[in-house]
Amino acid sequence: MIKTDILIIGAGPTGLFTVFEAGLLKLKCHLIDALPQPGGQCAEIYPKKPIYDIPGFPEVLAGDLVDNLMKQIEPFQPGFTLGERADKLEKLDDGTFIVTTNKGTKHHAPIVAIAGGLGSFEPRKPAISNLVDFEDKGVEYIIRNPELYRDKNVVISGGGDSALDWSIFLTNVAKSVTLIHRRNEFRGALDSVEKVQELKNIGKIELITPAEVVGLVGNDKLEEVVIKRGDEVFNRDCDHFIPLFGLAPKLGPLSDWGLEIEKNAIKVDNSLDYQTNIPGVYAIGDINTYPGKLKLILCGFHEATLMCQSAYQRIFPDKRYVMKYTTVGGVQGFDGSKKEAPKAVIKAFD
């Protein structure tokens, strides 16, 4: 059983920043995310896309924002349960909660903060009739361990950043890499498109466009993919087929938790603390809704800050918290680190 002060569902930017705000209040956090790494959409879907509305950053890449947030929360030593989906919520007689994942991992906390972005993500799957037959037998939708593809024939489908970036990365791992896209144009970062073209020119990547995978061939495991390009249909040796068509957001099991739902979002009380209709359960970031809601990362940061103040009062009803600005009090990490402004030097004159 994993125990913490605030259990955060979702490790996107809002969930990560919650760790910082909670840390200032000496509250420990643990995060659950169905994705294999922190960062949510910023890390999984568009790590190289620039974001322009983060205060203090005229421009920051989504992946760099995640890296900075991870560095910012490091002193507060958060725990992570990654690659698992929060499935069940149980409220105990003492008002605390147990959240169980799809893999049976149990978490116990007095506060649950749902920061799941647009919900849990499920891969968008291509329309191939026998696709399901080869799942976990050569078909993967998310790359969790690149070593799985060591010295293997890999076929990737897709035209976004994930498809481009993984195609580039796996050229140093796989026996062969084939990238297939239904259009000649890619919608990824320009430097990634140019790098793929360079690797194609030196024979490190086979690029097949405009084309798509229409069939899979194999017995106990995947052996070949069937590719259609115009009127031409042909096969390619393939140990692993990775369709990277993005992830579809869904509330998933959260919709069965007894929360008040409106248009695939969780209704909250925005007049005070973003609490849901279940006392002790909050929803912050893109997953919530209220009058005037804007789905912006910076709004999620604001919601996380107010939510943590409310969570502190709920955990310690008899304590009065006096807010101290970080410019005055600094930041005291759980790891013993201390960040603070240099003390003024007082010098006596003769």
Side-chain angles (χ1 to χ4, degrees):
M1 180 86 71
I2 296 171
K3 295 187 177 183
T4 190
D5 295 319
I6 300 179
L7 182 63
I8 304 169
I9 312 299
T14 297
L16 294 176
F17 188 68
T18 302
V19 176
F20 177 79
E21 288 298 324
L24 295 179
L25 301 169
K26 306 301 180 187
L27 299 176
K28 290 283 290 184
C29 292
H30 190 94
L31 301 94
I32 301 174
D33 202 294
L35 295 176
Q37 74 283 317
Q41 295 181 65
C42 288
E44 184 69 19
I45 301 177
Y46 49 86
K48 291 189 176 181
K49 291 290 180 67
I51 301 174
Y52 301 103
D53 58 358
I54 303 298
F57 290 91
E59 176 182 333
V60 60
L61 297 182
D64 290 343
L65 175 62
V66 171
D67 291 342
N68 289 338
L69 286 165
M70 290 294 290
K71 184 176 180 180
Q72 185 178 27
I73 67 176
E74 187 176 337
F76 299 118
Q77 301 177 317
F80 289 91
T81 298
L82 300 174
E84 299 185 30
R85 184 186 65 239
D87 257 15
K88 297 178 182 178
L89 174 74
E90 177 187 358
K91 190 168 187 177
L92 304 181
D93 292 339
D94 62 358
T96 62
F97 301 91
I98 291 179
V99 173
T100 307
T101 70
N102 61 316
K103 294 186 179 179
T105 308
K106 293 184 179 295
H107 308 75
H108 182 215
I111 300 292
V112 174
I114 303 172
L118 297 174
S120 63
F121 289 95
E122 297 182 8
R124 292 189 173 97
K125 302 180 181 182
I128 300 174
S129 60
N130 61 343
L131 183 71
V132 176
D133 297 339
F134 290 99
E135 289 179 350
D136 298 322
K137 298 178 181 179
V139 171
E140 294 89 34
Y141 304 105
I142 295 175
I143 296 176
R144 291 185 169 87
N145 177 18
E147 282 301 312
L148 177 67
Y149 309 100
R150 175 72 62 182
D151 300 325
K152 303 293 185 180
N153 296 308
V154 177
V155 175
I156 295 176
S157 281
D161 283 318
S162 291
L164 293 165
D165 292 345
W166 280 118
S167 294
I168 294 168
F169 182 88
L170 290 178
T171 56
N172 295 317
V173 177
K175 177 181 179 182
S176 69
V177 176
T178 301
L179 176 59
I180 299 172
H181 184 39
R182 58 187 177 184
R183 298 186 179 91
N184 288 319
E185 303 80 21
F186 290 86
R187 60 185 184 280
L190 180 59
D191 61 330
S192 296
V193 175
E194 292 176 345
K195 182 63 175 177
V196 166
Q197 187 62 49
E198 292 174 8
L199 291 169
K200 170 183 178 278
N201 292 341
I202 61 175
K204 297 278 283 183
I205 289 179
E206 182 178 11
L207 185 61
I208 304 177
T209 62
E212 58 184 328
V213 174
V214 295
L216 305 175
V217 179
N219 293 315
D220 294 334
K221 60 183 182 62
L222 183 64
E223 297 173 7
E224 296 179 331
V225 294
V226 182
I227 302 168
K228 187 175 189 298
R229 179 172 56 189
D231 295 329
E232 181 185 12
V233 178
F234 54 95
N235 290 21
R236 276 287 185 279
D237 289 343
C238 178
D239 300 303
H240 294 276
F241 172 51
I242 311 168
L244 296 174
F245 297 145
L247 301 168
K250 295 183 179 180
L251 281 180
L254 297 180
S255 59
D256 298 324
W257 286 11
L259 299 162
E260 191 174 355
I261 307 296
E262 182 180 287
K263 295 181 179 178
N264 209 40
I266 301 170
K267 288 187 68 174
V268 295
D269 174 12
N270 67 307
S271 66
L272 183 62
D273 55 10
Y274 307 99
Q275 195 161 193
T276 69
N277 60 303
I278 301 176
V281 177
Y282 300 79
I284 52 177
D286 288 356
I287 202 165
N288 74 14
T289 185
Y290 53 82
K293 169 69 180 181
L294 292 177
K295 293 183 182 294
L296 297 171
I297 292 175
L298 62 92
C299 293
F301 291 165
H302 163 77
E303 294 166 11
T305 304
L306 297 187
M307 183 278 294
C308 286
Q309 297 288 323
S310 175
Y312 181 89
Q313 294 301 324
R314 186 173 179 83
I315 295 172
F316 303 111
D318 299 327
K319 287 187 179 182
R320 181 173 177 267
Y321 174 73
V322 178
M323 190 187 79
K324 296 180 181 179
Y325 298 107
T326 56
T327 50
V328 176
V331 175
Q332 180 72 53
F334 297 164
D335 58 359
S337 62
K338 175 74 172 178
K339 293 181 180 179
E340 58 184 337
K343 294 289 190 293
V345 177
I346 300 175
K347 182 178 180 181
F349 291 94
D350 296 331

